[in-house]
Amino acid sequence: MNTVTTTIPREEIRRQLDLCRDIARLLPRGAGQPAAFVDTYGCQQNEADSERLRGYLREMGFSFTASEEEADLILINTCAIRQHAEHRVLGNVGALVHTKRRRPGQIICLCGCAMQRPGMAEEIRRSYRHVDLVFGPHALWRFPQLLLQVLEGKKRVFSVEDSPGAIAEGIPMVRQDPLKAWVSVMYGCNNFCSYCIVPYVRGRERSRRPEDILSEVESLARAGCRDITLLGQNVNSYGKDLGLGVDFADLLERVNAVPGDFRIRFMTSHPKDAGEKLFQAMARCEKAAPHIHLPVQSGCDRVLSAMNRGYTREQYLEKVRRLRELIPHIVLTSDIIVGFPGETREEFLQTLSLVEEVEYDALFTFLFSPRPGTPAAALPDPVPPEEKQRNFQQLVDAQNRISAKKHGAYVGTVQQVLVDGTSDDPDHPLTGRTPGGRLVHLSGEAGLVGRLIPVTITGSSTWALFGDPAAAETIQHNHHDQEVSQV
Ligand code: 5AD
Ligand code: SF4
């Protein structure tokens, strides 16, 4: 089904930027530049949103601090995916009463998915009276306007109206990492998996125009970014709403054609829409990382159908087979929900057998969490929590064994590793990622950060690989890297 995507006019965003300057004039300047503390929960989409919120804050003249105590403004970007995520946020928000008491005039803002979900804004209004501003993902582009209302009116502002959502281009960004970047390619979700709150809080699927995405990627590549992740709740739906005849596989090819020395990753692929065209494009594009996150959720057809996932166990396994045919060493990761309402022990064992069969490189396992307003939250759920917990543990144990075995197979090989950071382990002071995204702890000088170097893998654990720069080649590759990054 095609929808007409609403785009926020560029002049609207320019107006928001003008409001940033009005805010800069209003903020007290007593002890120098005002400071903002930004905290982000949840997924990469939220991280990407926070980069835009920081962009606005910078325009308002804020510097950034890692301390709530020192902040003139606190902004918490929340997640609604599981109850646990919400509880953690609310616990921290509760504690800010004391921070604000010690620092009168501090402005506390909450945004993101949890704020958009039904009932939450009311709870904040009633029980968290120290919070000044609440807005959902749909209102992100209007953050300056909303903050100005708080500052001028000295009253609390709530903006959590339901909306199918829009696309806003031109919001400035403060990126967290010069080497790795998130690039949103689409927003929202139309899948309505029966357990999931995302379609209710992030609106309908809508795609950014290819030229906007490509110009963002080009400027990242020019700035020396080495690892770019294309983001969307379901990237395989990319372009359906644009009517330009460009789908995600086409977009991947176009991003691949952008000059530069970077890897392309993407998240998340829904198995029902991931198919031959995408797999072929991945195999063809030399910049596409040999990794796919393909969340299966369950290995049982009855549960998959109750989850409204739109594929069977066999169809999923067929896609995995085809992927491995085309890209033999592809790193495969997945999400699984244990304890979906009514999931029997036998049904859980089907999930376990799928995990044993596929042998994922890594798995994100979750206990089912009922989300208000979703169909699954209303289903009878007779299975006792202890049984769910037992199943959960069994799955985690099985995956740990598989991960350790998979990581063990790297020992003795040489991997092209992007060195992306440092750590305080004296034997392995550097961290990096293999092309497939596995974490490597390695020896070497801090000057290697930002380089793509061959690394001999010398050890492994359940969670990571250990290695040393492959001596002779390192020098050669460093020269090569320098040449490339100067282009
Ligand atoms: N309960 C537990 N896990 C959930 N996820 C999404 N909604 C729920 C829920 N209600 C998991 C899914 C998804 C991942 C991001 O979070 O596995 O892929
Ligand atoms: Fe991301 Fe979903 Fe959490 Fe929103 S609710 S932050 S989309 S994981």
Side-chain angles (χ1 to χ4, degrees):
M1 184 189 60
N2 281 4
T3 51
V4 179
T5 298
T6 313
T7 305
I8 309 297
R10 289 270 181 164
E11 53 273 27
E12 243 324 310
I13 303 300
R14 278 195 285 272
R15 193 175 75 86
Q16 297 298 321
L17 291 171
D18 289 342
L19 296 178
C20 289
R21 286 179 268 284
D22 294 344
I23 290 171
R25 280 190 289 274
L26 275 179
L27 289 171
R29 283 257 163 194
Q33 202 177 7
F37 169 86
V38 181
D39 202 5
T40 310
Y41 291 76
C43 65
Q44 290 84 352
Q45 192 65 62
N46 252 22
E47 295 288 347
D49 285 351
S50 286
E51 294 185 336
R52 289 192 178 77
L53 292 161
R54 281 199 197 88
Y56 272 145
L57 286 166
R58 187 187 53 197
E59 297 296 313
M60 295 169 192
F62 281 96
S63 63
F64 297 98
T65 169
S67 142
E68 284 122 309
E69 305 286 331
E70 286 169 14
D72 300 288
L73 181 142
I74 292 181
L75 176 61
I76 304 186
N77 195 359
T78 65
C79 171
I81 198 98
R82 284 170 291 274
Q83 209 168 35
H84 177 71
E86 272 187 26
H87 283 163
R88 263 178 55 215
V89 174
L90 291 182
N92 291 349
V93 172
L96 292 177
V97 170
H98 310 292
T99 325
K100 189 162 178 165
R101 202 168 287 146
R102 280 192 292 272
R103 200 178 177 95
Q106 189 176 54
I107 300 162
I108 300 180
C109 314
L110 305 183
C111 64
C113 296
M115 296 304 118
Q116 192 73 40
R117 83 140 171 85
M120 180 59 95
E122 268 320 299
E123 194 176 334
I124 303 289
R125 207 189 291 272
R126 219 179 28 242
S127 311
Y128 298 83
R129 306 195 62 83
H130 55 298
V131 173
D132 301 287
L133 169 59
V134 171
F135 60 100
H138 298 309
L140 185 147
W141 66 271
R142 289 189 271 126
F143 171 48
Q145 180 182 335
L146 299 171
L147 183 59
L148 191 59
Q149 279 172 25
V150 172
L151 292 168
E152 285 182 338
K154 301 270 180 272
K155 62 169 200 278
R156 310 173 78 197
V157 172
F158 289 76
S159 181
V160 290
E161 305 78 21
D162 198 14
S163 156
I167 296 267
E169 294 291 349
I171 300 178
M173 270 185 244
V174 173
R175 297 202 189 256
Q176 288 297 82
D177 188 334
L179 293 175
K180 296 179 171 181
W182 317 113
V183 174
S184 299
V185 301
M186 59 178 303
Y187 305 93
C189 183
N190 289 359
N191 287 323
F192 289 94
C193 299
S194 64
Y195 51 82
C196 188
I197 193 124
V198 171
Y200 303 88
V201 295
R202 283 202 174 257
R204 298 290 62 75
E205 282 172 356
R206 52 212 187 270
S207 308
R208 292 177 70 197
R209 300 183 66 81
E211 59 270 28
D212 291 325
I213 296 167
L214 289 169
S215 76
E216 188 172 335
V217 170
E218 279 158 15
S219 67
L220 284 167
R222 270 198 305 272
C225 185
R226 307 297 302 265
D227 191 298
I228 293 178
T229 304
L230 308 177
L231 283 184
Q233 252 72 42
N234 175 16
V235 291
N236 302 115
S237 294
Y238 176 79
K240 284 184 187 164
D241 55 317
L242 291 175
L244 296 172
V246 179
D247 64 11
F248 184 67
D250 302 325
L251 182 72
L252 189 62
E253 303 253 12
R254 292 202 195 179
V255 172
N256 188 65
V258 171
D261 199 5
F262 59 92
R263 283 178 186 155
I264 310 166
R265 306 179 189 282
F266 55 87
M267 300 191 72
T268 296
S269 286
H270 193 305
K272 82 174 160 55
D273 306 311
E276 186 66 19
K277 187 173 174 193
L278 174 68
F279 302 161
Q280 296 263 5
M282 287 178 75
R284 209 168 28 238
C285 293
E286 73 287 356
K287 292 186 179 115
H291 171 214
I292 191 163
H293 183 65
L294 204 59
V296 67
Q297 311 298 358
S298 164
C300 162
D301 285 342
R302 206 252 342 141
V303 175
L304 285 171
S305 157
M307 288 176 163
N308 192 30
R309 289 293 286 174
Y311 53 86
T312 62
R313 172 192 176 100
E314 200 36 54
Q315 285 166 339
Y316 181 90
L317 288 173
E318 185 47 41
K319 295 194 189 214
V320 170
R321 275 191 285 275
R322 183 65 186 136
L323 259 170
R324 285 186 165 152
E325 225 165 66
L326 285 166
I327 312 169
H329 296 296
I330 191 160
V331 167
L332 202 64
T333 57
S334 193
D335 295 341
I336 285 182
I337 297 178
V338 174
F340 186 82
E343 182 185 65
T344 64
R345 173 77 183 157
E346 286 65 36
E347 289 172 335
F348 163 74
L349 289 175
Q350 290 179 40
T351 298
L352 190 64
S353 90
L354 179 135
V355 168
E356 300 279 5
E357 188 172 338
V358 173
E359 298 203 307
Y360 293 106
D361 294 79
L363 199 57
F364 300 88
T365 41
F366 307 104
L367 270 173
F368 170 76
S369 169
R371 304 316 294 132
T374 62
L379 291 174
D381 192 4
V383 179
E386 310 78 64
E387 185 179 330
K388 293 188 180 196
Q389 190 57 50
R390 231 182 1 256
N391 289 344
F392 183 83
Q393 198 51 51
Q394 195 177 356
L395 182 63
V396 170
D397 292 343
Q399 180 57 43
N400 285 350
R401 194 172 26 77
I402 295 166
S403 295
K405 178 176 126 186
K406 289 230 145 187
H407 283 159
Y410 283 84
V411 176
T413 65
V414 174
Q415 300 286 320
Q416 288 296 323
V417 170
L418 173 65
V419 185
D420 59 7
T422 54
S423 82
D424 43 22
D425 171 356
D427 295 331
H428 302 98
L430 301 177
T431 58
R433 295 273 168 182
T434 65
R438 307 316 299 146
L439 173 65
V440 187
H441 296 287
L442 67 152
S443 58
E445 301 295 317
L448 289 173
V449 173
R451 302 277 177 78
L452 189 67
I453 59 165
V455 169
T456 307
I457 304 300
T458 55
S460 71
S461 72
T462 308
W463 314 111
L465 307 172
F466 299 86
D468 302 315
E473 281 179 88
T474 311
I475 299 159
Q476 220 179 338
H477 273 260
N478 284 351
H479 286 307
H480 174 68
D481 277 357
Q482 274 166 5
E483 275 160 29
V484 172
S485 59
Q486 279 164 12
V487 171

